[in-house]
Amino acid sequence: MTGALQPLEDKLEDKSGDMELADVQLGEGQLGEAGAGPESRLMRADARRNHARLVDAARQVFSGQGGGASMEAIAKQAGVGVGTLYRHFPRRIDVVEAVYRDDVDSLVDAADRLAERPPWEALEGWLRAYVDYGRVKRTFLNELHEAFEKNPALKPASRERITVACGRILSRAQEAGVARTDIDGDDLMQLVSPMCVAATLTAEQGDRLLAMILDGLRPPASRSDLN
């Protein structure tokens, strides 16, 4: 890795005038939510929104420029000064980890959101969300490896959460009789996961491979009916 990912050596002072209410962060040991006044709760809500805006900006920049994109480019995309970005994320690796955590949260949450759809439609929708997740992940794989080295528990914990979400949505399709019953969520992840790290995989190839996987997930009788 290059020196761009090393901790910031010089303390940056934000001279852009973009100090926002959201930049006032409450540390541990201060007022909790129950004891906080309206202004404190407002600061926390604004801080969460600012954090989400920075993470979304970083995701867009990584997607367009790759994992080597500068902090300045991320700040510009978010519409804030670079000092604001550094207050939230002192190192670039912290931004990478935040994007990854947010993407994992969205993928896991998708299993719950899709529960309102018919079981097969939900399974297909979640697998397509997983392929999209992998497509974003490939744009900063090198930086992500460094994040895993910094926090060894991050990768296995995230993998477990994703596998559980996959198993939950697969089980629902199996119970409805629309998916084969001789596999589980871990099997399906072993089948689909390589698509996440294939650097040469195009979007069109991903769609074709996913269609093949979905066809193989149908019960044998269903596949015979399609012939």
Side-chain angles (χ1 to χ4, degrees), residues 50-129:
N50 237 21
H51 182 277
R53 182 172 63 176
L54 291 169
V55 170
D56 185 61
R59 183 185 295 104
Q60 294 178 50
V61 172
F62 287 152
S63 179
Q65 303 180 24
S70 69
M71 294 287 271
E72 288 76 11
I74 295 172
K76 181 178 180 181
Q77 179 68 32
V80 301
V82 71
T84 295
L85 178 60
Y86 275 118
R87 278 194 294 275
H88 284 265
F89 304 107
R91 302 179 300 175
R92 282 185 69 257
I93 198 63
D94 297 326
V95 183
V96 170
E97 183 173 330
V99 171
Y100 174 70
R101 287 181 181 275
D102 189 67
D103 287 346
V104 171
D105 287 344
S106 295
L107 184 60
V108 172
D109 291 345
D112 294 325
R113 294 195 303 272
L114 290 166
E116 298 178 358
R117 298 187 184 179
W120 179 259
E121 183 180 330
L123 177 60
E124 180 177 355
W126 191 87
L127 287 174
R128 292 194 183 282

Side-chain angles (χ1 to χ4, degrees), residues 144-194:
L144 194 53
H145 286 316
E146 184 168 337
F148 292 154
E149 291 175 2
K150 175 189 134 213
N151 184 358
L154 177 60
K155 184 176 181 179
S158 299
R159 184 193 296 120
E160 175 66 17
R161 293 182 63 208
I162 292 171
T163 300
V164 169
C166 177
R168 192 163 67 246
I169 207 157
L170 173 62
S171 294
R172 183 167 171 257
Q174 290 170 328
E175 291 169 2
V178 295
R180 60 191 305 159
T181 58
D182 55 348
I183 64 169
D184 58 21
D186 188 58
D187 295 331
L188 186 51
M189 285 293 93
Q190 290 289 345
L191 181 62
V192 182
S193 290

Side-chain angles (χ1 to χ4, degrees), residues 135-146:
R135 192 172 294 137
V136 172
K137 185 178 169 184
R138 286 198 303 274
T139 64
F140 54 93
L141 269 182
N142 290 335
E143 289 75 15
L144 194 53
H145 286 316
E146 184 168 337

